Amino acid sequence: MRFRILGPLEVFDGTHWRGISAAKPRTLLATLLVQRDVPVPTGRLGAELWGEREPKAAANLIQQYVMRLRRELGDRQGRLLVTRPPGYQMVLADEDDLDAAAFARLGDSGRVALAAGDAERAAGLLAEALALWRGPALVDVPTGPMVEAEAARLAEQRLDVLQARVEADLACGRHAALVPELRQSVREHPLREGLWGQLMLALYRSGRQAEALDAYREVHRLLADELSIEPSAPLCDLQLRMLRGDPRLGLPATETEAEAEGQDQGEHEGEAESEGDARARSKSRRRPRPESRPSVGASRAGQPSAAPRQLPAAAAGFAGRRAELRLLDQLPADASAGPGPAVCVIAGTAGAGKTSLALHWAHRAAPHFPDGQLYVNLHGFAPATGPMSPGEAIRGFLEALSVPPERIPDAPEARAALLRTETAGRRLLFVLDNAADAAQVRPLLPGSAGCAVVVTSRGQLTGLAVTDGAVLLSLDVLPREEARELLAARLGADRVAAEPEPVTELIDLCARLPLALAVTAARAVGRPGFALSAVVAELRDVRGRLEALDAGEGVSSVRTVFSWSYRRLDTATARMFRLLGLHPGRDVAAPAVAALAGLSVREAAAALTALARVHLIAEHRPGRYSFHDLLRAYATGLTATEDTEAARTAALHRLLDHCLHSARAARRHLAPARGEVPLPPPVTGSVPHDPEGYEEAMAWFEAEHAVLLAVADAAGPAGFDGHAWQLPLAMADFLHLSGRWHDWVSTQRTAIVAARQQGDRAGTALCHCESGRAAIRMRRYEEAHRELLRALELQRGLGDLTAQADTLRTLAWSYEQQGDYRAALQRVEQVLELQRAVGNLAGQAGALNNIGWCHTHLGDHEEALTRCREALRLHLDGGSPLGAAYTWETLGFIHHSMGQYAEAVDSYRQCRDGFRRFGNRYGEADALHHLGGSLRMTGDQEAARDAWHAALAILDELEHPDADVVRELLLTTAG
């Protein structure tokens, strides 16, 4: 999916470009596109959509707009418009899927080519960038603060690129052809002095000196009338050189000529002031710039010394990081505008390319800092030497600034004060690489505006954001497309394009970590005759992958670089990191980690925070942590060598018990009437989570279900067969209610194998029954009958009447789903007999409700009412509000079938209220769905649509497939 915002907002659906018809969804989409690098909180979206008139139901309305956009974009699964707390984010597959991003990339490339002297290529790239514009940016979007600011920024960028393209065309000698365009440009942007200067130069080079001087007089008059200022010094200089007939204006200046021009300008400075008052008036009337100090002070001989240029060479083959570079590009402006230096901290895991990004950007931004660039490696995680002291780093800076050694004080505070003095009024760029913490960095910061500081660290350094206003840039692994670009930059585009599938696998095996990709690329470059598939084969073995990613030097070995962070951990946190290698899930929360390590939840949370602080793991969502596959392999290798087998087995046992007992506790809230197999108590150190109520139980399952699936898969191979079948059973009702039916089917197949392996006949029967339930939901009825009959056979052999009743009820459901209500009635009557035999009142009430359901479908509504009213009495007497809610649902259906719509409405409202009190969100949505149908039959169309809208909001929130049914109802009844 591609998007255009350089003009009206449009979406390309693979066939044609189209707009978004409704204003609010269009504004929402525009906001998410212009803020695509970060999630946009719901509160900020509300301010963008409504301003100060934000309605109370803003969050619900935004959710509806999101659902509508997903439908329009064909993104029902939310992979493009992603729910990402605290709001939403657009995640584009490729940066160029947005025309504004392609415009920025082409503009940057064009300016680089222009700076390198390749004017023809620059002109082509810049013209291509400008061709993406179709009118003012976001012209059809109702503007809120963010959209308005982005439109203004893009308009300014467009003018910058236009001027750069004109500069390139002038360098190519196209001056005559530029004159009409430039005349139009200065009419549209009359206060843009750069365009006037280019118009003057194009006229002058076309032999039209008088017109060029007329243009100067015109802008002079316009600035005086509009702003009461004189033209800028460069424009005045250009006029004076035209008056003198400076021959160098006739062609682009070479580097040598530019130097001569600078000398010439100095020689004629007095002449400029005597020839006319314009320049003098300009200097006096324009806003004065801060007085600049000498570049770096004086050398010992008293002569001005060169500005320091300490930046190490930029990394070869740098690619990607466009979003991060855009953020860094704001630093020069922030350095000029703020009261102090502009500070940005680039934090990230080992091997994420923090230094490469910092140096790449620093070289690119160096012209903005003419007084010099200072660099220091603070060795924050160096295992041998330890972190550099701030005082030592300051001494190096002061020496680079030509401060004599005898003037450098010994006291750290005095050194820091002298650094602030020496840097005051200068435009300097500091790169503080590999910092340990905020305390190491803070003394190195200049004290006044004009300077920018880029810090790299494996730590988060949030203290710098709190006390020094630092911008925090968290560097994750590369997006997939940028990882491909990095490989292409190092291996050559042709070699990468020739083997697309191996390249994709290579990127995944390297976990998109820049260091790993660079090491792999270096190995491939060293073996040009080898296919990339051969390199991939070496990386497939997880155990040997870190060895394959070793280029022979410390900084070029992934394992070694990881170890520098690991060795800084205290003993308890290091143990926690190792044990995380045993966790089979993609992410983890503190309670599960507490069980894994045998700690309290508070201790586990503190250790996770410490690991996240040095980016050995990442808090990718509030309270949930993960790490990429290479760090996982590193942790797994560490625990295999540093922890005993007994310790590893005990840790895994604690984790499995935590997951199983927590899932069992949550399941009781979802289906309290269902039987369950007794479990032994959890082992010491494994404290289960016990949710309060249906809604909290569903929320816990939503957060943990992917982890639980992975844990269930890992339990059997690890020798825990009991957990391997009991955990899928505990998850079954959640998978059913949430519509994850394929997972329901696959987990039960695994469970049957594990229960047989353990020799547990009752457990095997339960797994067959649950497998049958899942097959019914998938409409595989023959398979369901086979599974249920196997379960019944085992249960009859064990004499388990309660289990037989559960299986027969499931068999009845299977017949009901096929429309055979007579066969279903026969089975549920057997269920009633068994429940009476064991004295289970809740089971009897449930069976009576099912009997009533069958009777009403067979046309015997009076008998159905009798049975359901009896069921309702038993539920209410037995204190089963959930069972009563299900019975009210059946009563609503019976009354609706009898044409008693008012009674049906009352029953469905009772059902809705019951599910709502119990916190059963799906049950509430289903009741609302049917309530809408009965309300419609009473003639109350508005109330019916209100009920369906409420149902749809819940189903969309649950991402339940039934949402499409309700959505279709709303569409067919619209208008």
Side-chain angles (χ1 to χ4, degrees), residues 663-675:
R664 176 69 72 84
R667 175 191 168 279
R668 291 191 193 107
H669 293 291
L670 306 188
R674 297 199 52 198

Side-chain angles (χ1 to χ4, degrees), residues 521-537:
R523 291 170 68 88
V525 167
R527 296 183 287 181
F530 281 55
L532 292 179
S533 55
V535 179
V536 168

Side-chain angles (χ1 to χ4, degrees), residues 311-336:
L311 296 177
F318 182 89
R321 299 300 190 193
R322 287 186 284 276
E324 291 82 1
L325 288 168
R326 281 199 300 273
L327 189 149
L328 287 166
D329 282 340
Q330 298 174 16
L331 285 182
D334 293 345
S336 298

